[in-house]
Amino acid sequence: MIDLPIPRNDIDGLCADLDQSGYCLVERWLEPDAVSQAVTAIHRQANQTVPEPDRLADVEDWVIRDGDQWVLLLVLESELDHLITHRPALDLARHLLGQSIHLSGFSAHVVHPGNQVMELHTDQWWLPRPTMPGTEPFRPGDASRSVAYFGSPDPAGHPINPAAVINVMWALTDFSEASGGTRLVPGSHLSGVEPDPSVAWNVVHAEVPAGGAVIWDARTWHASGANTGNSARIGVTATYCAQQFRQLQNHTAAIKPGDYGALSDEMKQLLGFRLFSSYGATDSFEAEFSRPGFLREML
Ligand SMILES: O=C(O)CCC(=O)C(=O)O
């Protein structure tokens, strides 16, 4: 029986919880002012009915389904960007994934009262599983959400994939069982399989105050909970992936020409502009950062 993570702020303890349980809980990394500014930014984006034409991207900007609201592509929102480059959060991400990482996605998940509970899942279902020579291979190009390998959440007795992704979900309101805090299956990151949705697995409910965070290894079985309260639960997730994986949101395409020049090298790296041994090139294979075609003409 493992000790379940409790909310804390020290990196060593958080790393140990992440390794052991597949998730960790941050008690408070954000001051109340930063929380309220972030909430204002989320409301500003979420309450619009059409995407601002001069904002980032030509993608569906929010989706509300069964009480779940996603506010997508939040990069370059001034009240939120500091969450992406938050040093301890990046330290934890690099502890799990290694040094060269990208921001895979940056979105708010607003869980409204009376929402429909999400099914447990992992966030790297697309990564081919190790297979024994001579057995039917998992073809990477056939990966889809409907091709899942179910099993128990116990540690596998055979090699499994490393974590390729980590989620840092910032709590902008209190997370509790009643507010729809993230549900997690401790230890399931070592199972190498996905949760069978027809089974009622034992879960823990992440409980952290506003200003804290829930951080999980993408292999960990998880989902949001049921909000039985009377106000929305707001989380903002910075998802990081190792540099060789495709990002959830296409940040390199979403950046406006005028914004590219103002990005710090760290932000260019995180958004996916830094070349990885020629991968991601748009012009010279030797360039440090790639530039989309329209930027090559402008800069
Ligand atoms: O909103 C949450 O608590 C969890 C969201 C989730 O499952 C996900 O982003 O994959």
Side-chain angles (χ1 to χ4, degrees):
M1 187 68 187
I2 54 177
D3 286 337
L4 292 181
I6 50 160
R8 60 199 311 157
N9 291 320
D10 63 300
I11 284 286
D12 290 347
L14 290 165
C15 287
D17 284 344
L18 186 61
D19 293 344
Q20 183 169 270
S21 298
Y23 71 98
C24 58
L25 303 174
V26 175
E27 188 174 17
R28 177 188 289 266
W29 275 348
L30 291 183
E31 294 304 321
D33 271 5
V35 172
S36 61
Q37 284 165 20
V39 169
T40 303
I42 301 301
H43 280 154
R44 190 174 63 235
Q45 295 306 331
N47 290 336
Q48 295 178 93
T49 50
V50 289
E52 278 179 39
D54 67 344
R55 219 168 68 81
L56 285 176
D58 195 14
V59 295
E60 194 178 17
D61 216 346
W62 50 87
V63 182
I64 305 183
R65 207 178 292 129
D66 299 327
D68 274 320
Q69 182 174 18
W70 299 89
V71 189
L72 306 177
L73 267 171
L74 290 171
V75 286
L76 303 191
E77 291 301 324
S78 56
E79 304 93 332
L80 300 172
D81 269 1
H82 65 102
L83 302 180
I84 298 172
T85 51
H86 189 268
R87 203 50 47 201
L90 286 175
D91 287 348
L92 265 170
R94 293 197 164 106
H95 167 76
L96 192 67
L97 304 178
Q99 288 309 303
S100 292
I101 56 174
H102 289 158
L103 181 74
S104 175
F106 191 46
S107 318
H109 188 197
V110 184
V111 175
H112 293 276
N115 66 312
Q116 183 152 335
V117 178
M118 206 184 213
E119 277 181 359
L120 290 171
H121 58 280
T122 74
D123 289 333
Q124 62 176 64
W125 50 268
W126 35 262
L127 192 61
R129 292 152 37 99
T131 46
M132 287 299 289
T135 61
E136 183 64 12
F138 181 114
R139 294 180 178 80
D142 290 338
S144 96
R145 283 189 191 272
S146 59
V147 180
Y149 294 87
F150 299 141
S152 100
D154 299 332
H158 51 77
I160 59 166
N161 284 321
V165 173
I166 186 171
N167 282 293
V168 178
M169 178 171 253
W170 295 90
L172 300 185
T173 54
D174 293 344
F175 274 36
S176 65
E177 178 168 354
S179 74
T182 314
R183 297 178 298 137
L184 302 133
V185 179
S188 53
H189 61 311
L190 302 180
S191 68
V193 287
E194 302 280 322
D196 180 341
S198 66
V199 178
W201 300 103
N202 287 330
V203 295
V204 297
H205 298 262
E207 307 244 344
V208 291
V214 186
I215 300 178
W216 65 91
D217 174 322
R219 299 170 300 174
T220 304
W221 299 4
H222 70 279
S224 55
N227 185 345
T228 55
N230 48 24
S231 58
R233 187 224 72 175
I234 308 178
V236 176
T237 308
T239 302
Y240 304 93
C241 61
Q243 64 190 340
Q244 61 270 59
F245 299 111
R246 187 168 187 171
Q247 291 152 276
L248 199 50
Q249 291 159 14
N250 194 342
H251 292 127
T252 51
I255 295 300
K256 288 185 294 176
D259 288 329
Y260 180 85
L263 294 174
S264 65
D265 282 0
E266 179 179 42
M267 204 61 163
K268 282 187 194 148
Q269 152 82 48
L270 287 170
L271 294 180
F273 287 103
R274 192 189 291 276
L275 266 63
F276 164 49
S277 192
S278 305
Y279 289 83
T282 51
D283 39 33
S284 164
F285 279 1
E286 308 303 322
E288 186 178 7
F289 294 106
S290 58
R291 288 175 302 160
F294 64 86
L295 289 170
R296 285 208 304 277
E297 280 151 33
M298 297 187 57
L299 297 174

